[in-house]
C-alpha cells in the first residue's frame, strides 16, 4: 500500500546519489498508483514540476554542483526516456524504492502496487523547498572546504557555523549548556566517546560526473556497485560513465570499465530481486542499444544487442530469469533467459500498467496482467501467458472497456474504473472472482478516490467528496473490498515531492490496526491516533516536560501533541515519522505542542509505548534510523548542513551518545544501514564540497556494543491503549531488550511472547455499510439505506446474513462477549416478487451500430434470481426467455438487422409477481443533458403541457421522441414541448428522448392522474441546504424521510400521500393528498377526508411537530409555506338547475375577490396552473414511482420558487378564487415542472 506500515518484504533497497544542474521533469500522469506496502506517503496527485534555482550571473553554471539523490530498489526496473533530460537548472530527488506506480481510477488516482504486487515503477521529484535547501548547501557559498576550515567567502559561513557550534559547546551558561549535554550525550555515564571503525574512499577521477548511483545487494554480500555518469546538458545525453565495484563492503573500489568496454556508455544498472548475483546493465541508447548481463555480482559481463530501447524493466518476484521490458514505443516484451532473448507480448500497452502473476491467486506463474489499447482507442484489461500471448490466447477478465491508467493488481484485489459520462464507477475483483461495483455511502459522490492500502485483508480508500476541496475522508472496506464505511472525515493533505498531494495518514509498523492521522476540524489541524483501525480516535497526550526538565502545561483537548506525517520516499533519509516492524511500539516523529499542527518551533519526539506517552529528544530536525534490528537508534542532523557526528541511543531515546564518523564535516546525502544481515556496517554517501570527489564512508559500528545480548538483557512489554490491555481484540506481550543495555542483538529480537484473545466489546465492532455512528456511539440506519433489500442471489430455501448494523473490525481477534449480539444473524431468504429490474447495454450507451452485436445486461435488485423467469423483447420482432437470472450474467447479445428506434422490454416474473423495464435503443444526438419537465399529478381529461429541456441548447435541429402512456410508437416533434390529455385515472409513464448527431439521451417520469386532490407547499430549516447535493436520488430519499415524518402526525393512508422535492437550493417540496382509489363511498366523503387530513397535517406543521434527522446531530424541521390550506382541486363540472343559482355563484365569487383584494389577504398557493412556466422538478415518493434519473441541468433561466409563488397568488386573485377551504373549481392543469 502506498502508505505507512512495514517495509517492502524481501526487498533490499539501494542508494543512488545524483548531482545534476537541471531537474528531471516527470511526465504528467493523470492517475497513478504507488507502492502499497512500503513506508511511503500516500500520494494523491501526481503533477509535473520543474524546479529552478537562480544563481549569480557571474557564476559559471559548470562550477555549480547541485545534489540529486536517486534511490533504486533492487529488481525494480524503471527508466524514463527523458529522465536525464533535465531542462532547467535545479535539483530534485529521484527514486524507485517501492515501485511507486501511479494508478488512476478516473480522476481517482489510486495508490498501491508494490513489487510484492508486481507492479511497474515510479520516479517522483523533490519539492521545490527541498530542492532549494540542497542547492544552498552545495552551491558557490560553500566553494572550498578543507580540514583547516572554509576558504574565501565560504570561510565566513564556516566561521559562523563554528560560532553557532561554540554556543552549543558550553561557552554559554544555562540553557545552552544543557543543550550541549543533550545533543552530545546527555546523561551519558561513559566519559570516553567510543570510537567507530571507519574508512573513506573517494571516486578519484569522477569529479566531473554529475550522476552517481550506488547498489548494495545485501543478504550477507560484500559487493557494492556504483555507476557514475556525466550528463551533458548542451547535447542532452550521457557522454561518459564509470562502473565501480567493491568486494569488501566499500573499503576499496575497482574501476570496471575495461570489463564492460572502455568506450561503452552505461545508463542504468539493475539487480535481480530473487538472485542478487544476477545483474543487468543497460547502455545509453544514444550510442547503442544493448544489455550487459552478469551472473557473478558484476565480476564479468556479457553483451547482447537489443532491437528496442528499454524504458522500464520488471523482474518476476520468484523466477530469477523472467523479466518484462517496456519500450519507448509502448510495446511490452518478455524474456525467460535473463535478457538474452526477448519476445514481443503486446503492442499499445499503457505505461506502468503491467503486472506479473500473484502467487496463490493466479494459476499460472507466467501470467501477465496488463492494460492495452484497442485500434479504435478504447482500453481493455488483458491477461495472457508470457510465451503464449497471441490474440487467440488472450483473455479479457472484465467484460467491457475500462478507463486508461486504471488497472491495478495489488495483493488479493484488482481495481478498475469503468468509463462513464456521469459519476465515476469503480469495480473490484477479490481473489480473482468476478468484478463487483464498489459500494460507497450513497451520497459520498467522490470527486477523487485513492486506494491507500490493501495489505491487511481489507481496502483503505481516501475519498474526496463532492463538498471537499483540500481534505479527504478515509473509508474502510469489508474483506472483499466491496462495502466501504467511514473511518475518519477531513483528513489533511500535504503537498509533497514533485507537487504530489500526500494524505496525512500513517500506519504504524509492527502493530496492526494502529494509525495516526491529521484531521482538519474547525479550521485547525490536529493529530489523532487509533488502535482499532479507525473505530475510535483520540488526541495525543503532550510530554509532561521539555528537554530542560521544565513542566509543560498542555491540557486535552485544548492542547496536545501534533505530528508531521510525511514519510520519506527516500529510504536513506528518514521522514518526519519513522517506525520499524522489528521494534514495535517505538515511534520517532517531528512535531509540535499546542492547539493545532504547526511547522514552526518544531522538535523531535519519541514514544516507546506505542503512542501512549511521548518524550522530546531534539530541538532540531534529525534523520533517525534503527540499528541492530531496531535495538538501537542513530541520529544525524538534516543534510542541509555538514556534520561529522552521529548520535546513538540504546534506551529508546532517553539518552544519546555522540560518535565521530569523519574528521571532516560531510554533506550527508544518504545512509545505508544494515545492508547485510550478519554485519554491523553503515555507509555514508556525500561530499565535502561541490568540487570534491564522491566520498563513501564505511562505518563498522560493532565497537559501540559491549557484548552480545543474553536472556537477562530482555524484558516483557505489554501493548496497551491508555491502560486498556486489549488491542484489536487481544492482549499482546512482546519481548524487548532492556533500555540502556549496551548489548548487540544481531537478529530480530522483538517478538510477540503471547497473544491472548479478549472478550468482545463494543469497540471491537465498526458500523456496517448503510449505518452511521451517532453521538451516543451506536450505529443507526442511514436515511438513504434500505435494509430490507436482499441480495438477488438469495434463493428460497437458502439463508442470508441480516446485518445488525455492526461488523467486526477486520483482523480483530476478540471472542464471545457481545460478538453474538453484534454479528449478522442468519435468516431464511424471504420469498419476494421481482423488484428493481434494470436493463442496460454493456457499454452503457443507448446507441448501436447497424450490423454489430449489442449486449444487454439485466439487473434485479430484489427477488429470487434462481426462480425468476427473465424475458427480453428486443423490439424488432424477436424475443428470448431464460428460466432464471443466472443465464444472463454474461449479458444477452443481439444483432439488429435494420436501423431505427427499438423498444427493448425486459420482464422478470415469478409466482409472487413481476417487474418490467424498458429501454429505447437507437442512434442519437450529441446532447449532454435532457430533463423532462412534467407534472406529477394531473386532472383527468384535462390537457397537460410537457417540456423537455436540453443542455446545452442546440443551434441546429434536435429531434424529440415522445412515448406517452403505454404506446409502443413515439410521437416525433422538433419542438421541446407537447400537450397531452390523459383519459383514465391511474399511473401513466412518459418517456422522452432527444436525438442529435450520434448522441441520444432519455428521461422518464411517472404521472398520477386523478379526479381531484389537495396539495401543500413545504419548506425546511436552512441546515438542510448544507447537505443538498442537488441530485435526483437525494431528493427521492429525502422525500421518503419527509413522508415518514408526516405519517407520524397523521393516520392518513401511506399510499395516498406523495412528497415531491424540488431541485435547487433552498430546498422546497410539495405534499400531495390523493383520494382513495375506491370512491364507492362517495366523492363528497372523500373530499371531506382530504380536508380533515390536510387540517391535521397543517396543524402539525405550524406547531413544528414534523422533523427528521438527516445525519448525527443534524435535525431538520419541516414548515408549511402556506398560511391557509390549499383548496381542493377538482375536475368535475358543476351542473346547475337554474340560472339563478349560477348568478348567485358568480356574485359570491366576485364578492370574495373584492374582499381579498381589499384587505390584502394572503391567498394559499394552489398547485394548479393554466400555463407551464414552473422551474421545479418534483421527486415523487410512494405509489408514484420515480423514473430513470438523468443528469441534472441548470435551471437558472426559470423563475425561482418565491417568484413563482408570488405570480401564482396574483393569478389566483385575478381568476377569482373563492372559498379557500371548499373550492372545487375546475382547473385545466396542475403543478407543471
Amino acid at each position: 500500500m502506498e502508505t505507512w506500515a512495514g517495509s517492502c518484504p524481501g526487498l533490499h533497497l539501494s542508494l543512488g546519489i545524483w548531482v545534476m544542474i537541471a531537474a528531471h521533469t516527470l511526465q504528467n500522469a493523470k492517475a497513478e498508483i504507488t507502492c502499497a506496502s512500503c513506508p511511503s506517503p500516500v500520494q494523491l496527485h501526481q503533477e509535473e514540476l520543474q524546479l529552478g534555482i537562480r544563481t549569480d550571473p557571474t557564476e559559471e553554471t559548470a562550477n555549480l554542483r547541485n545534489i540529486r539523490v536517486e534511490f533504486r530498489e533492487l529488481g525494480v526496473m524503471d527508466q524514463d526516456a527523458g529522465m536525464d533530460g533535465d531542462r532547467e537548472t535545479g535539483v530534485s530527488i529521484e527514486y524507485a524504492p517501492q515501485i511507486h506506480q501511479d494508478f488512476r481510477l478516473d480522476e481517482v488516482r489510486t495508490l498501491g502496487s508494490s513489487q510484492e504486487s508486481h507492479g511497474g515503477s515510479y520516479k517522483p521529484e523533490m519539492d521545490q523547498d527541498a530542492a532549494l535547501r540542497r542547492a544552498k548547501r552545495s552551491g558557490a557559498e560553500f566553494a572550498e572546504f578543507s580540514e583547516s576550515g572554509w576558504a574565501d567567502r565560504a570561510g565566513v559561513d564556516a566561521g559562523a557555523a563554528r560560532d553557532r557550534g561554540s554556543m552549543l559547546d558550553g561557552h554559554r551558561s544555562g540553557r545552552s549548556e544543557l543543550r550541549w549535554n543533550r545533543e552530545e550525550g546527555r546523561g551519558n555515564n561513559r566519559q570516553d566517546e567510543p570510537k567507530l571503525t571507519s574508512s573513506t574512499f573517494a571516486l578519484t577521477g569522477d569529479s566531473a560526473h554529475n550522476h552517481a548511483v550506488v547498489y548494495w545487494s545485501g543478504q550477507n554480500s560484500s559487493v557494492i556497485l556504483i555507476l557514475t555518469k556525466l550528463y551533458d546538458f548542451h547535447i542532452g545525453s550521457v557522454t561518459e560513465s564509470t562502473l565501480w565495484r567493491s568486494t569488501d563492503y566499500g573499503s576499496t573500489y575497482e574501476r570496471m570499465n575495461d570489463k564492460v568496454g572502455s568506450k561503452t556508455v552505461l545508463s542504468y544498472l539493475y539487480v535481480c530481486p530473487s538472485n542478487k548475483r544476477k545483474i543487468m546493465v543497460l547502455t545509453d541508447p544514444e550510442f547503442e542499444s544493448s544489455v550487459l548481463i552478469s551472473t557473478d555480482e558484476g565480476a564479468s559481463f556479457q553483451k547482447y544487442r537489443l532491437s528496442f530501447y528499454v524504458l522500464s524493466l520488471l523482474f518476476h518476484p520468484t523466477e530469477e530469469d523472467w523479466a518484462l521490458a517496456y519500450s519507448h514505443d509502448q510495446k511490452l516484451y518478455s524474456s525467460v533467459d535473463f535478457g538474452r532473448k526477448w519476445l514481443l507480448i503486446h503492442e499499445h500497452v499503457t505505461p506502468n500498467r503491467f503486472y506479473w502473476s500473484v502467487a496463490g491467486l493466479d494459476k499460472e506463474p507466467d501470467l501477465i496482467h496488463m492494460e492495452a489499447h484497442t485500434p479504435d482507442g478504447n482500453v481493455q484489461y488483458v491477461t495472457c501467458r508470457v510465451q503464449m500471448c497471441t490474440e487467440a490466447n488472450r483473455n479479457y477478465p472484465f467484460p467491457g472497456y475500462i478507463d486508461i491508467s486504471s488497472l491495478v493488481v495489488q495483493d488479493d484485489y484488482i481495481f478498475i474504473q469503468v468509463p462513464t459520462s456521469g459519476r465515476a464507477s469503480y469495480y473490484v475483483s477479490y481473489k480473482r472472482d468476478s468484478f463487483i461495483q464498489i459500494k460507497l455511502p450513497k451520497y459520498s459522490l467522490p470527486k477523487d478516490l485513492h486506494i491507500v492500502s490493501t495489505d491487511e485483508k481489507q481496502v483503505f480508500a481516501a475519498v474526496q467528496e463532492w463538498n471537499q476541496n483540500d481534505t479527504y475522508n478515509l473509508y474502510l472496506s469489508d474483506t472483499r473490498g466491496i462495502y466501504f464505511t467511514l473511518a475518519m472525515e477531513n483528513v489533511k493533505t500535504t503537498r509533497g515531492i514533485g507537487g504530489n498531494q500526500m494524505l496525512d495518514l500513517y500506519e504504524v509498523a509492527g502493530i496492526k490496526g494502529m494509525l495516526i492521522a491529521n484531521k482538519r476540524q474547525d479550521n485547525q489541524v490536529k493529530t489523532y491516533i487509533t488502535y482499532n483501525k479507525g473505530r475510535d480516535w483520540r488526541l495525543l497526550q503532550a510530554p509532561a516536560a521539555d528537554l530542560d526538565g521544565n513542566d509543560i502545561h498542555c491540557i486535552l483537548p485544548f492542547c496536545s501533541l501534533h505530528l508531521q506525517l510525511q514519510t520519506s520516499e527516500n529510504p536513506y533519509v528518514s521522514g518526519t515519522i519513522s517506525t520499524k516492524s522489528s521494534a514495535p511500539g517505538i515511534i520517532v516523529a517531528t512535531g509540535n505542542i499546542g492547539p493545532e499542527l504547526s511547522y514552526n518551533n518544531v522538535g523531535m519526539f519519541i514514544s516507546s509505548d506505542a503512542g501512549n506517552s511521548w518524550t522530546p529528544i531534539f530541538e532540531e530536525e534529525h534523520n533517525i534510523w534503527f540499528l541492530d534490528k531496531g535495538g538501537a537508534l542513530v541520529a544525524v542532523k538534516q543534510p542541509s548542513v555538514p556534520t561529522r557526528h552521529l548520535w546513538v541511543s540504546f534506551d529508546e531515546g532517553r539518552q544519546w551518545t555522540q560518535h565521530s564518523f569523519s574528521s571532516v564535516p560531510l554533506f550527508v546525502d544518504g545512509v545505508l544501514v544494515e545492508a547485510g544481515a550478519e554485519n554491523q556496517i553503515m555507509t555514508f554517501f556525500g561530499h565535502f564540497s561541490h568540487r570534491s570527489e564522491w566520498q563513501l564512508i564505511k562505518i563498522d559500528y560493532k565497537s559501540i556494543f559491549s557484548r552480545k545480548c543474553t536472556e537477562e538483557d530482555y524484558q516483557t512489554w505489554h501493548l496497551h491503549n491508555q491502560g486498556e490491555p486489549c488491542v484489536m481484540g487481544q492482549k499482546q506481550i512482546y519481548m524487548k531488550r532492556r533500555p540502556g543495555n549496551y548489548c548487540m542483538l544481531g537478529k530480530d529480537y522483538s517478538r510477540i511472547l503471547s497473544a491472548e484473545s479478549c472478550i468482545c466489546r463494543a469497540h471491537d465492532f465498526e458500523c456496517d455499510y448503510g449505518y452511521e455512528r451517532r453521538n451516543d456511539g451506536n450505529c443507526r440506519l442511514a436515511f438513504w439505506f434500505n435494509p430490507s433489500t436482499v441480495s438477488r442471489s438469495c434463493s428460497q430455501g437458502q439463508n442470508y446474513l441480516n446485518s445488525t448494523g455492526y461488523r467486526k473490525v477486520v483482523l480483530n481477534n476478540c471472542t464471545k462477549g457481545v460478538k453474538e449480539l453484534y454479528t449478522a444473524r442468519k435468516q431464511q431468504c424471504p420469498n419476494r416478487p421481482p423488484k428493481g429490474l434494470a436493463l442496460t447495454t454493456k457499454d452503457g450507451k443507448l446507441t448501436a451500430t447497424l450490423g454489430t452485436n449489442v449486449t444487454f445486461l439485466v439487473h434485479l435488485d430484489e427477488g429470487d434470481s434462481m426462480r425468476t423467469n427473465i424475458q427480453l423483447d428486443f423490439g424488432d420482432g424477436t424475443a428470448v426467455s431464460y428460466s432464471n437470472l443466472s443465464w444472463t450474467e454474461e449479458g444477452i447479445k443481439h444483432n439488429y438487422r435494420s436501423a431505427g428506434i427499438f423498444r427493448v422490454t425486459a420482464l422478470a416474473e415469478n409466482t409472487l409477481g413481476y417487474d418490467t423495464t424498458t429501454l429505447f435503443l437507437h442512434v442519437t444526438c450529441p446532447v449532454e443533458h435532457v430533463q423532462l419537465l412534467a407534472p406529477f399529478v394531473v386532472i383527468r381529461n384535462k390537457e397537460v403541457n410537457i417540456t423537455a429541456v436540453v443542455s446545452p441548447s442546440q443551434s441546429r435541429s434536435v429531434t424529440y421522441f415522445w412515448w406517452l402512456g403505454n404506446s409502443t410508437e413515439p410521437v416525433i416533434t422538433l419542438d421541446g414541448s407537447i400537450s397531452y390529455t390523459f383519459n383514465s385515472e391511474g399511473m401513466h409513464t412518459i418517456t422522452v428522448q432527444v436525438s442529435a448527431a450520434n448522441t441520444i439521451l432519455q428521461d422518464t417520469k411517472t404521472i398520477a392522474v386523478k379526479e381531484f386532490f389537495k396539495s401543500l407547499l413545504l419548506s425546511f430549516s436552512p441546515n438542510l441546504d448544507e447537505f443538498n447535493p442537488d441530485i435526483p436520488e437525494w431528493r427521492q430519499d429525502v422525500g421518503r424521510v419527509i413522508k415518514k415524518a408526516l405519517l407520524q402526525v397523521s393516520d392518513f393512508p401511506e399510499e395516498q400521500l406523495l412528497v415531491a422535492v424540488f431541485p435547487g437550493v433552498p430546498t422546497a417540496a410539495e405534499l400531495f393528498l390523493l383520494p382513495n382509489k375506491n370512491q364507492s363511498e362517495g366523492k363528497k366523503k372523500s373530499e371531506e377526508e382530504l380536508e380533515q387530513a390536510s387540517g391535521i397535517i397543517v396543524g402539525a406543521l405550524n406547531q413544528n411537530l414534523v422533523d427528521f434527522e438527516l445525519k448525527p446531530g443534524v435535525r431538520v424541521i419541516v414548515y408549511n409555506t402556506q398560511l391557509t390550506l390549499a383548496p381542493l382541486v377538482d375536475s368535475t363540472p358543476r351542473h346547475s338547475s337554474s340560472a339563478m343559482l349560477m348568478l348567485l355563484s358568480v356574485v359570491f365569487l366576485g364578492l370574495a375577490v373584492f374582499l381579498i383584494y381589499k384587505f390584502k389577504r394572503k391567498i394559499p398557493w394552489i398547485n394548479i396552473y393554466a400555463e407551464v412556466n414552473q422551474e421545479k422538478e418534483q421527486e415523487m415518493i410512494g405509489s408514484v414511482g420515480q423514473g430513470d434519473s438523468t443528469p441534472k441541468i441548470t435551471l437558472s433561466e426559470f423563475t425561482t420558487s418565491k417568484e413563482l409563488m408570488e405570480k401564482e397568488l396574483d393569478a389566483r386573485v385575478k381568476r377569482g378564487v373563492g372559498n379557500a377551504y371548499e373550492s372545487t373549481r375546475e382547473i385545466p392543469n396542475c403543478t407543471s415542472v
Side-chain angles (χ1 to χ4, degrees), residues 10 69 112 183 223 324 386 437 444 492 501 563 652 672 685 698 778 1125 1166:
V69 183
E183 297 192 353
V223 175
L324 299 177
V386 165
Q437 187 171 0
S444 63
K492 173 184 173 292
Q501 285 294 109
L563 305 180
E652 299 175 341
L672 279 173
F685 299 91
K698 170 190 169 184
N778 295 321
L1125 289 176
I1166 308 175

Side-chain angles (χ1 to χ4, degrees), residues 118-359:
H118 328 304
S121 48
Y122 173 62
K123 300 189 299 292
E125 298 283 333
M126 180 197 291
D127 61 69
Q128 189 169 2
D129 292 338
L132 293 175
R133 288 197 299 269
R134 285 189 172 274
K136 180 177 180 180
R137 63 112 163 99
S138 57
E141 63 269 37
F142 301 117
E144 295 287 340
F145 184 80
S146 64
E147 294 185 6
S148 59
W150 298 89
D152 301 330
R153 60 172 293 194
V156 177
D157 294 331
R162 287 195 299 272
D163 289 341
R164 289 191 294 270
S166 66
M167 289 189 294
L168 298 176
D169 217 2
H171 293 287
R172 291 179 58 186
S173 59
R175 184 179 181 89
S176 61
E177 183 174 1
L178 291 175
R179 185 186 299 118
W180 169 254
N181 291 334
R182 287 192 305 268
E183 297 192 353
E184 305 292 49
R186 56 186 173 90
N188 181 19
N189 296 326
R190 303 166 66 183
Q191 301 299 322
D192 298 328
E193 176 185 310
K195 294 183 179 179
L196 298 176
T197 303
S198 65
S199 62
T200 302
F201 187 90
L203 301 184
T204 306
D206 281 356
S207 60
H209 288 191
N210 50 20
H211 176 196
V213 184
V214 181
Y215 296 84
W216 191 354
S217 64
Q219 294 185 345
N220 300 324
S221 173
S222 61
V223 175
I224 298 178
L225 296 170
I226 300 177
L227 176 63
T228 65
K229 297 182 293 185
L230 173 61
Y231 183 85
D232 192 321
F233 296 98
H234 295 92
I235 63 176
S237 65
V238 177
T239 58
E240 295 179 13
S241 67
T242 303
L243 181 63
W244 301 83
R245 184 172 185 263
S246 172
T247 59
D248 52 10
Y249 293 106
S251 296
T252 60
Y253 289 85
E254 175 189 3
R255 187 187 293 264
M256 301 291 293
N257 282 29
D258 293 338
K259 295 185 178 182
V260 300
S262 58
K263 295 184 179 179
T264 302
V265 179
L266 306 177
S267 58
Y268 296 98
L269 185 153
Y270 305 120
V271 179
C272 175
S274 57
N275 185 351
K276 304 300 176 58
R277 294 181 59 84
K278 291 188 173 183
I279 298 170
M280 279 190 190
V281 183
L282 298 178
T283 61
D284 192 281
E286 294 292 332
F287 296 87
E288 60 176 322
S289 184
S290 301
V291 58
L292 285 82
I293 297 173
S294 174
T295 58
D296 52 11
E297 292 187 283
S300 62
F301 289 90
Q302 296 174 334
K303 181 183 290 187
Y304 295 88
R305 294 283 183 177
L306 297 177
S307 60
F308 58 94
Y309 170 34
V310 178
L311 283 180
S312 62
L313 289 176
L314 180 65
F315 284 118
H316 193 277
T318 58
E319 297 292 335
E320 60 187 55
D321 290 333
W322 295 3
L324 299 177
Y326 187 76
S327 69
H328 65 290
D329 53 357
Q330 294 187 329
K331 295 179 180 179
L332 188 64
Y333 296 84
S334 68
S335 174
V336 294
D337 56 4
F338 201 69
R340 294 171 176 84
K341 296 179 182 179
W342 296 89
L343 175 67
L344 177 64
I345 296 178
H346 205 295
E347 297 181 346
H348 307 295
V349 176
T350 305
N352 294 330
R353 290 299 173 270
F354 48 90
Y355 308 84
W356 280 110
S357 61
V358 179

Side-chain angles (χ1 to χ4, degrees), residues 1012-1124:
F1012 57 92
F1013 64 93
K1014 290 187 68 67
S1015 68
L1016 296 171
L1017 188 64
L1018 306 178
S1019 59
F1020 309 90
S1021 52
N1023 57 348
L1024 180 60
D1025 296 338
E1026 301 175 8
F1027 304 94
N1028 185 353
D1030 198 18
I1031 59 174
E1033 294 93 331
W1034 185 89
R1035 294 191 288 271
Q1036 188 173 7
D1037 284 335
V1038 169
R1040 177 171 51 83
V1041 176
I1042 299 170
K1043 178 179 176 179
K1044 184 177 179 181
L1046 291 169
L1047 291 174
Q1048 300 296 321
V1049 300
S1050 171
D1051 59 353
F1052 197 71
E1054 180 179 357
E1055 63 274 7
Q1056 296 175 233
L1057 192 67
L1058 303 180
V1059 177
V1061 180
F1062 300 122
V1065 175
T1067 309
E1070 187 170 5
L1071 170 65
F1072 293 94
L1073 303 176
L1074 303 182
N1076 195 329
K1077 294 181 180 179
N1078 184 10
Q1079 300 184 15
S1080 59
E1081 298 179 355
K1083 177 180 177 182
K1084 184 175 181 181
K1085 184 175 182 180
S1086 297
E1087 292 177 355
E1088 292 174 354
E1089 291 176 352
L1090 294 185
E1091 294 287 354
Q1092 182 180 2
S1094 62
I1096 294 174
I1097 293 175
V1098 169
L1101 292 172
N1102 291 338
Q1103 298 178 47
N1104 295 338
L1105 299 180
V1106 181
D1107 62 1
F1108 60 91
E1109 188 178 43
L1110 187 69
K1111 62 182 301 184
V1114 179
R1115 181 159 294 278
V1116 180
I1117 301 176
V1118 185
Y1119 303 103
N1120 176 25
T1121 304
Q1122 302 163 245
L1123 297 180
T1124 60

Side-chain angles (χ1 to χ4, degrees), residues 770-823:
Y771 293 80
E772 297 174 342
R773 191 170 302 282
R774 298 298 194 256
N775 294 332
D776 59 2
N778 295 321
C779 297
R780 293 289 183 264
L781 193 68
F783 79 94
W784 49 264
F785 184 63
N786 181 11
S788 64
T789 301
V790 181
S791 171
R792 64 183 178 87
S793 61
C794 189
S795 183
Q796 184 178 4
Q798 296 178 345
N799 294 322
Y800 76 101
L801 294 177
N802 186 18
S803 176
T804 62
Y806 299 85
R807 69 185 186 192
K808 193 176 180 182
V809 175
V810 177
L811 297 184
N812 186 290
N813 295 317
C814 72
T815 58
K816 300 180 181 180
V818 299
K819 182 178 180 179
E820 184 176 352
L821 177 64
Y822 286 125
T823 302

Side-chain angles (χ1 to χ4, degrees), residues 45 80 214 447 566 771 824 908 930 1142:
H45 300 281
D80 190 350
V214 181
K447 297 189 297 184
Q566 291 78 52
Y771 293 80
V930 58
M1142 182 179 298

Side-chain angles (χ1 to χ4, degrees), residues 369-398:
H369 305 264
M370 57 186 160
E371 182 183 296
H373 298 249
T374 62
D376 58 357
N378 292 311
V379 181
Q380 289 180 303
Y381 168 28
V382 184
T383 61
C384 66
R385 303 184 66 176
V386 165
Q387 301 296 313
M388 302 171 56
C389 201
T390 60
E391 182 62 39
N393 295 320
R394 294 171 184 168
N395 295 314
Y396 302 89
F398 182 76

Side-chain angles (χ1 to χ4, degrees), residues 1081-1215:
E1081 298 179 355
K1083 177 180 177 182
K1084 184 175 181 181
K1085 184 175 182 180
S1086 297
E1087 292 177 355
E1088 292 174 354
E1089 291 176 352
L1090 294 185
E1091 294 287 354
Q1092 182 180 2
S1094 62
I1096 294 174
I1097 293 175
V1098 169
L1101 292 172
N1102 291 338
Q1103 298 178 47
N1104 295 338
L1105 299 180
V1106 181
D1107 62 1
F1108 60 91
E1109 188 178 43
L1110 187 69
K1111 62 182 301 184
V1114 179
R1115 181 159 294 278
V1116 180
I1117 301 176
V1118 185
Y1119 303 103
N1120 176 25
T1121 304
Q1122 302 163 245
L1123 297 180
T1124 60
L1125 289 176
L1128 194 67
V1129 181
D1130 189 353
S1131 64
T1132 304
R1134 294 183 175 272
H1135 302 281
S1136 59
S1137 60
S1138 66
M1140 182 60 69
L1141 292 176
M1142 182 179 298
L1143 179 61
L1144 289 175
S1145 299
V1146 173
V1147 170
F1148 281 114
L1149 184 62
L1151 181 60
V1153 172
F1154 172 77
L1155 292 175
I1156 292 172
Y1157 179 78
K1158 182 68 176 177
F1159 297 100
K1160 298 182 180 180
R1161 294 277 309 268
K1162 293 286 185 180
I1163 305 300
W1165 191 71
I1166 308 175
N1167 299 307
I1168 304 167
Y1169 307 97
E1171 58 184 15
V1172 181
N1173 63 353
Q1174 194 181 155
E1175 55 137 357
K1176 292 288 186 180
E1177 173 200 2
Q1178 302 171 359
E1179 309 290 331
M1180 259 198 326
I1181 309 300
S1183 59
V1184 183
Q1186 175 62 36
D1188 297 337
S1189 62
T1190 57
K1192 62 178 182 291
I1193 65 172
T1194 303
L1195 301 177
S1196 58
E1197 63 270 24
F1198 296 96
T1199 56
T1200 65
S1201 57
K1202 181 179 180 180
E1203 295 171 342
L1204 195 59
M1205 292 168 53
E1206 293 175 352
K1207 292 181 179 179
E1208 181 59 20
L1209 294 177
D1210 294 338
R1212 290 175 184 167
V1213 173
K1214 294 179 181 179
R1215 289 198 298 265

